[in-house]
Amino acid sequence: MDASKEARLKALTQELAELLYEETDPEEIKTLEGIENAVRGHLLEHVGPELGHFLSAQAAAQREAASEALPASSAN
């Protein structure tokens, strides 16, 4: 990953962290274990599914583009 993408990723991650922090019970993040559980919960509930959906859609689009690029077989 180049430096500009890394910087963008860091900025977006910070923004996401701030948003998820607002949605986290302050009592939940008083300990390291609570922080770990909150992070894991947010990743499993919000972040992971969105990433999975995006990557799945990209893979489907690539498969479709590849199948369209193949010459159609002709039946004799």
Side-chain angles (χ1 to χ4, degrees), residues 52-71:
H53 177 72
F54 175 81
L55 294 175
S56 177
Q58 294 301 308
Q62 286 178 344
R63 285 191 302 273
E64 186 176 318
S67 69
E68 290 174 356
L70 295 175

Side-chain angles (χ1 to χ4, degrees), residues 8-19:
R8 175 117 169 95
L9 179 62
K10 186 172 183 172
L12 290 170
T13 303
Q14 181 65 36
E15 184 178 344
L16 178 62
E18 290 170 7
L19 186 139

